[in-house]
Amino acid sequence: THTLSLSLSEGGGKGEPIAVPFSRCTHVNMDLAWLSPVALLVLLSARGHSKENTLPVPKNLHFSSLNLQNVLHWELPTRRAPGKQRFSVQYKVYGEKDWKIKAECQNITKTYCDLSNETDYYEEHYYARVRFVSEAGFSNWIKSGRFNPEMETIFTSPKVKLEAGVCSITIILTPPQKWQYNLHQSIPLTNIFHELKFEIQVIDRKINKSCTYLENGDFKKVGTLEHDTTYCVTVRSVEHSSLRRSDPSEIQCTTTPKDPAKQMVKIILFGCVLPVFFFIFIFSLACCFMYKYVNARDQKQPINLVRNF
C-alpha cells in the first residue's frame, strides 16, 4: 500500500500534508480517477487564492462631492505590482446585496471614477469598492464608507454681478447649479437645499469697513451709500444647519456716481457764472483804460508847440 500526499490550506499558505492510502490492486485506477479531480480543484483554488492575496490593495478610498457631482477617489498601492496597473469599480445602494458594475470604470488606469449618475438620488446612501487588477491577477476589494450626497456635498459660491446706482448698489446673484451631464438643463441648488443662503460682504474702500448681509434670494439692493465711493463685494454660499460654507466668490468692485447736486452746482458755476463775471471784468477794465485816455487832466503839450506860442 502506498500513500498520495496532498497539501490543503486556506489563503494560499502552506498547510499540513494529508496522506491518502491506495493499493496496487485492481482498484488503483478507480482511486486515482477519484483523487485526480479533487487534487486538481484544491491546487487551482489555492493558486487562485494566492494570486488574489499577493496583489496590493488600493488605499485611501473616499468620495468627494461638489454641487452633487460625486466622484470616487483612491490612491495607488504603496507596493507596486508588475505589469500594467489597472482598477475596477463597483457600487451599490445601502441596504442592497448585489454590487453593480460601473462600465466606464473597468480596467482603468486613472485613480478616480465619476459616479454622479449612479448616485443621482441624493437622499440615498451608497457604497463603492475598488480592486487592483493586473496581468498577475487581482487584489481584494477595498470598500468605501457610507456616502450620502445630500449631507456631504460641498457648495460653490454664486456668480455675482454688480450695478451701481445713486447712493446704492444692486447685487445680482446666480445660485450654484446642480451638476448635470446634460448642460442644457440647470437646476439651482436652492431648489434642492431650501436652507441654502448667501452671505454678502460689502466693503467700503474709502474707510475700509465692511457690512455683512444674509440673503436667500438672487437679488440684493444696498442703499444709503456715499456718492463717488468704491464698494467691493464678495459672496459665500452657506447652510447653517449643516455648518457648510463655500469659499468666497471673486471680489468685484463698482463705484457709485458722483453727487448730481454738486455736479449741477459745478456746471452752473463754471458754465454760466464765471464766464459772466469774466466778461464783466474785461469790459470794466477796457472802459477804465478808455476813460483815462480821453479825460486825463495832467497831459502836457509837446515842447515844440509851446515854443511857437
Side-chain angles (χ1 to χ4, degrees):
T1 303
H2 295 270
T3 60
L4 176 65
S5 179
L6 298 176
S7 178
L8 303 178
S9 65
E10 292 186 359
K14 293 183 178 180
E16 295 296 331
I18 300 176
V20 181
F22 67 93
S23 176
R24 291 183 178 178
C25 62
T26 56
H27 296 288
V28 66
N29 292 334
M30 183 181 296
D31 292 339
L32 289 176
W34 175 80
L35 288 172
S36 296
V38 174
L40 182 61
L41 288 175
V42 170
L43 291 174
L44 289 177
S45 176
R47 183 186 176 190
H49 204 65
S50 177
K51 284 174 62 177
E52 178 181 345
N53 288 338
T54 56
L55 291 179
V57 178
K59 60 181 183 178
N60 195 19
L61 180 66
H62 65 280
F63 275 95
S64 69
S65 179
L66 183 66
N67 294 343
L68 294 177
Q69 181 181 13
N70 309 318
V71 181
L72 184 69
H73 296 268
W74 60 90
E75 295 179 4
L76 293 172
T78 304
R79 179 171 58 87
R80 301 296 180 87
K84 294 182 178 180
Q85 302 190 31
R86 301 183 182 275
F87 304 92
S88 293
V89 177
Q90 294 181 356
Y91 69 95
K92 72 174 181 177
V93 178
Y94 171 70
E96 294 183 354
K97 293 183 178 180
D98 297 331
W99 290 89
K100 300 177 182 178
I101 293 175
K102 170 71 172 178
E104 294 82 1
C105 294
Q106 301 301 306
N107 297 320
I108 58 175
T109 56
K110 58 189 180 182
T111 56
Y112 65 91
C113 175
D114 192 335
L115 294 173
S116 300
N117 267 359
E118 291 70 22
T119 56
D120 190 54
Y121 294 101
Y122 48 85
E123 295 179 348
E124 289 281 3
H125 293 252
Y126 300 91
Y127 286 109
R129 65 181 186 177
V130 179
R131 71 178 176 183
F132 179 80
V133 180
S134 75
E135 297 173 354
F138 52 85
S139 71
N140 290 327
W141 291 101
I142 178 174
K143 182 180 171 184
S144 71
R146 191 192 304 180
F147 170 67
N148 175 229
E150 184 179 30
M151 295 303 300
E152 298 183 42
T153 195
I154 298 174
F155 310 119
T156 57
S157 58
K159 295 180 180 179
V160 181
K161 181 181 179 182
L162 302 181
E163 293 181 357
V166 178
C167 294
S168 68
I169 57 173
T170 300
I171 305 168
I172 302 171
L173 304 175
T174 302
Q177 307 293 306
K178 179 181 181 295
W179 185 89
Q180 297 278 354
Y181 271 112
N182 188 353
L183 299 179
H184 298 291
Q185 296 179 353
S186 60
I187 302 175
L189 286 179
T190 48
N191 292 0
I192 300 173
F193 301 92
H194 301 294
E195 295 185 9
L196 183 62
K197 298 181 180 181
F198 305 110
E199 187 180 87
I200 305 171
Q201 186 179 28
V202 180
I203 306 167
D204 185 341
R205 287 301 190 193
K206 183 180 290 185
I207 59 177
N208 201 25
K209 289 187 177 181
S210 64
C211 295
T212 302
Y213 307 90
L214 194 62
E215 187 67 31
N216 58 1
D218 55 3
F219 177 88
K220 176 66 177 178
K221 185 173 183 179
V222 181
T224 64
L225 302 179
E226 295 292 332
H227 293 287
D228 194 20
T229 303
T230 299
Y231 293 91
C232 295
V233 175
T234 181
V235 185
R236 293 176 185 264
S237 301
V238 297
E239 189 183 53
H240 292 298
S241 61
S242 59
L243 302 178
R244 281 181 284 187
R245 292 163 58 89
S246 73
D247 293 331
S249 65
E250 183 179 352
I251 294 179
Q252 296 192 37
C253 300
T254 187
T255 303
T256 54
K258 297 180 180 180
D259 189 346
K262 291 183 179 179
Q263 290 297 106
M264 185 60 65
V265 170
K266 289 181 180 180
I267 291 174
I268 294 174
L269 181 62
F270 291 101
C272 299
V273 177
L274 285 182
V276 170
F277 275 103
F278 181 75
F279 175 77
I280 293 174
F281 173 76
I282 296 297
F283 181 76
S284 300
L285 190 62
C287 290
C288 181
F289 279 114
M290 291 287 294
Y291 176 79
K292 285 186 177 182
Y293 180 77
V294 174
N295 298 315
R297 296 179 179 179
D298 56 349
Q299 283 187 344
K300 296 181 179 181
Q301 295 291 337
I303 296 176
N304 57 348
L305 293 178
V306 174
R307 287 178 180 177
N308 291 333
F309 287 103

